Amino acid sequence: MTQVIILDRDGTINVDRPDYVKELSELVIIPGAGEAIARLCRVGYSVLVCTNQSCVGKGLITSERLAEINNELERRLAAVGARIARFYVCPHVDSDLCTCRKPLPGLAETARRDWGFDPAITWAIGDATRDARMARGAGCKPALVLTGKGETSRLEIPEVPAFKDLGAFVDMVVAQPGIG
């Protein structure tokens, strides 16, 4: 069975912007996030990204531009030995009533079908309440990082494990092999 870690993108891997990452120049990786992903890869995890990108549905960027931004993120992560196995993207806005928009579990469920992982032993990490709700809805183990919206989210869902950043989460995973 494949070992998988699911990550949110904005606020977890790269700096979350209130006006969205619309240009390559606006893409800023959170310090240490790339190295944390590289460590996950080195110990055998496939890292998947499940991300809402309503900037596409709002017409702020095209799907092609989003692909360019994700490709650039992959390029920068590869420079430190990190690899994103696959991006799962919801381009919709809330009014579209899709099943892939977090907090609904559609993205994680699609990833499970594609990768065959056991959600009961799979962590899904993000900075927002909706990330934790997606994880729970898909049967995964939720965790928060306190980057991005994490500090506010921790107040809303204090029962979800919270970590200073992605590196601190990876420290826990690497120190306790077999926890998922």
Side-chain angles (χ1 to χ4, degrees):
M1 179 155 308
T2 304
Q3 285 189 303
V4 165
I5 297 278
I6 297 172
L7 301 179
D8 174 48
R9 193 189 85 172
D10 301 330
T12 303
I13 301 171
N14 59 273
V15 174
D16 191 15
R17 295 177 54 97
D19 61 342
Y20 307 98
V21 176
K22 302 175 298 308
E23 301 291 335
L24 298 180
S25 62
E26 297 172 340
L27 180 64
V28 178
I29 296 176
I30 294 170
E35 293 78 5
I37 295 168
R39 287 175 56 209
L40 287 171
C41 294
R42 281 196 301 273
V43 298
Y45 284 94
S46 293
V47 178
L48 309 178
V49 172
C50 289
T51 180
N52 284 348
Q53 293 297 322
S54 63
C55 52
V56 175
K58 292 177 180 178
L60 300 174
I61 64 171
T62 63
S63 295
E64 293 77 19
R65 170 59 91 193
L66 177 61
E68 290 172 10
I69 292 166
N70 287 340
N71 289 340
E72 176 64 13
L73 178 59
E74 286 184 293
R75 188 189 68 72
R76 292 183 196 179
L77 292 172
V80 296
R83 181 174 184 275
I84 301 299
R86 182 146 177 212
F87 283 87
Y88 291 87
V89 177
C90 172
H92 306 109
V93 295
D94 289 337
S95 61
D96 289 337
L97 303 176
C98 65
T99 59
C100 59
R101 187 155 176 78
K102 294 187 278 183
L104 295 176
L107 292 176
E109 289 172 347
T110 299
R112 181 188 48 76
R113 284 191 298 275
D114 291 349
W115 290 83
F117 61 82
D118 180 354
I121 60 167
T122 301
W123 287 97
I125 302 89
D127 68 311
T129 303
R130 67 177 171 246
D131 300 318
R133 289 188 179 139
M134 178 206 69
R136 284 182 178 150
C140 297
K141 300 187 300 185
L144 289 171
V145 289
L146 301 181
T147 49
K149 300 174 185 78
E151 290 287 350
T152 302
S153 299
R154 178 169 60 170
L155 297 174
E156 296 172 11
I157 48 173
E159 72 282 4
V160 172
F163 299 86
K164 179 183 97 179
D165 56 20
L166 197 51
F169 169 78
V170 172
D171 289 344
M172 182 270 302
V173 169
V174 171
Q176 301 177 29
I179 64 165

